[in-house]
Amino acid sequence: MAGNKPISQVTIIGTGVIGASWATLFLAKGLDVVATDIAPNAEASLRGFVDGAWPALERLGLTPGASKLRLVFTADLAEAVKGAHLVQENGPERIDFKKKLYGQLDEMLPPDVVIASSSSGLTMSEIQSGCPFHPERCVIAHPFNPPHLIPLVEIVGGAKTSEETIRRASEFYTALGKRTVRLHKEVPGHVANRLQAALAREVYHLVGEGVVSVADVDTALCWGPGLRWGIMGQVLLNHLGGGQGGMEHFLEQFTGPMTAWWKVLGSPELTPELQQKLIAGVHAEVGSRSIDDLAAERDEVLLGLLELRANTAGGGAHSE
Ligand SMILES: NC(=O)c1ccc[n+]([C@@H]2O[C@H](COP(=O)([O-])OP(=O)(O)OC[C@H]3O[C@@H](n4cnc5c(N)ncnc54)[C@H](O)[C@@H]3O)[C@@H](O)[C@H]2O)c1
């Protein structure tokens, strides 16, 4: 793969929740974006999303030359990928769908075009098995919702992905201001979703056992550990938890109690009763706030935190 062509034109395939958000970010970073989707009202809802999200990106700072006018929509896949330097694929999370689509893309695109999948949990080894010609240019670049605001992108290749593709993808997202992490092995759910799943399992267990209400378990998380997790990761926080003795002292002191708790962590079955309890509990927590109200509340605080973090040197993890 001829590897150093600058990436200035991106094709977005699938403009649902994640594709629309990626499109907005790429436009805000001054790229040309061509988007495609098969849903009948896709273009209108994409443009509506971009308009709604644009003020937040203006607040965070647009790249010179960035414009919503640089968004083109076409329902035709072959038309959409013409001239693309990178494709960000955000279609349905189904292996049969992705394999077939990657086979088509592999035929349509020159070999130096990177094909990046937003897939939350499928492996690239499986997806790229649909590519007859150049599977080495396919990579997972998994964002966190909403990708126009949340910096994390997890990068992981499949068995046939080249190091050059990993490098080009990492450089591309990093240059856009994203925080990339590289996974050295494929695991279902990648890393961040596995961390969420581990936590959700215990949250649902505690509610199911009647230890705590939904509202209180959410409060315990977001007004306690969650506040710190927005700044530093688990291991760095443990290092601080050990005081001047750092991680060495933390492990000395907490290995016993912590591993004893591991043995009693729950693994709940999501029975209809537990699902009902979670649903009733979250509605009680939400009160009269709509989904849009909640998303606006989340994004307002998130923007403040992102601005604060952008202005604060150090803190948190440094990438390798
Ligand atoms: N929702 C999340 O929180 C989240 C987070 C990170 C990654 N992802 C991943 O992103 C991908 C998309 O998820 P989503 O939540 O945006 O789903 P979504 O259902 O909101 O969007 C999928 C879009 O793909 C379109 N589509 C279907 N067939 C198509 C085709 N042949 N050509 C073009 N478009 C087509 C649909 O019309 C729809 O608009 C999935 O792989 C998912 O795992 C989702």
Side-chain angles (χ1 to χ4, degrees):
M1 181 166 84
N4 286 314
K5 207 194 264 177
I7 295 172
S8 60
Q9 181 173 323
V10 176
T11 294
I12 298 274
I13 300 180
T15 57
V17 174
I18 292 303
S21 180
W22 266 132
T24 314
L25 178 85
F26 294 147
L27 289 167
K29 296 293 176 183
L31 303 180
D32 290 309
V33 176
V34 184
T36 186
D37 196 299
I38 53 161
N41 59 346
E43 179 171 5
S45 69
L46 169 62
R47 292 194 187 277
F49 183 90
V50 174
D51 286 340
W54 202 251
L57 291 164
E58 283 178 320
R59 186 167 146 187
L60 291 173
L62 298 178
T63 297
S67 168
K68 291 188 278 181
L69 299 175
R70 292 172 71 177
L71 173 63
V72 171
F73 184 92
T74 167
D76 184 80
L77 179 64
E79 187 65 29
V81 298
K82 247 185 231 160
H85 303 141
L86 178 140
V87 170
Q88 186 79 44
E89 174 275 311
N90 321 276
E93 182 77 343
R94 291 199 323 268
I95 190 61
D96 56 331
F97 170 86
K98 296 212 197 256
K99 266 168 83 167
K100 185 169 165 225
L101 175 67
Y102 279 64
Q104 291 173 298
L105 292 173
D106 199 27
E107 285 197 28
M108 289 173 183
L109 288 161
D112 62 342
V113 177
V114 173
I115 309 174
S117 176
S118 296
S119 174
S120 300
L122 300 173
T123 63
M124 184 41 77
S125 290
E126 239 190 311
I127 296 174
Q128 70 191 168
S129 68
C131 295
F133 305 115
H134 290 287
E136 75 281 355
R137 55 33 193 286
C138 301
V139 65
I140 300 275
H142 172 243
F144 232 56
N145 191 37
H148 68 280
L149 295 181
I150 300 278
L152 179 66
V153 181
E154 297 179 292
I155 309 252
V156 55
K160 295 184 175 162
T161 305
S162 68
E163 270 306 308
E164 194 187 343
T165 301
I166 302 265
R167 176 188 62 77
R168 286 191 76 202
S170 302
E171 284 176 9
F172 170 68
Y173 297 104
T174 304
L176 298 185
K178 309 304 277 182
R179 294 296 290 242
T180 60
V181 295
R182 173 165 183 191
L183 276 60
H184 299 289
K185 287 181 184 175
E186 295 179 294
V187 281
H190 318 311
V191 168
N193 275 333
R194 290 174 73 101
L195 298 177
Q196 288 206 118
L199 190 61
R201 188 166 68 174
E202 186 60 15
V203 165
Y204 298 166
H205 169 70
L206 292 171
V207 172
E209 290 297 302
V211 175
V212 70
S213 68
V214 167
D216 278 355
V217 79
D218 276 355
T219 299
L221 194 61
C222 82
W223 289 99
L227 275 177
R228 301 193 312 202
W229 282 329
I231 309 160
M232 293 180 186
Q234 186 62 38
V235 186
L236 196 47
L237 286 167
N238 289 159
H239 186 53
L240 273 178
Q244 293 304 323
M247 192 66 182
E248 294 84 341
H249 181 57
F250 177 86
L251 288 174
E252 198 178 83
Q253 192 176 16
F254 290 111
T255 293
M258 193 169 54
T259 53
W261 297 337
W262 288 351
K263 293 195 180 108
V264 292
L265 290 177
S267 194
E269 203 184 317
L270 273 171
T271 59
E273 293 72 31
L274 178 51
Q275 292 191 28
Q276 235 3 81
K277 203 168 176 181
L278 292 166
I279 291 167
V282 81
H283 282 292
E285 179 182 2
V286 161
S288 60
R289 293 172 295 173
S290 69
I291 295 286
D292 286 347
D293 292 338
L294 291 165
E297 207 178 291
R298 176 199 63 191
D299 290 353
E300 179 60 23
V301 179
L302 190 54
L303 275 175
L305 182 58
L306 288 170
E307 286 172 327
L308 184 65
R309 297 221 49 174
N311 296 327
T312 310
H318 289 277
S319 297
E320 282 172 45

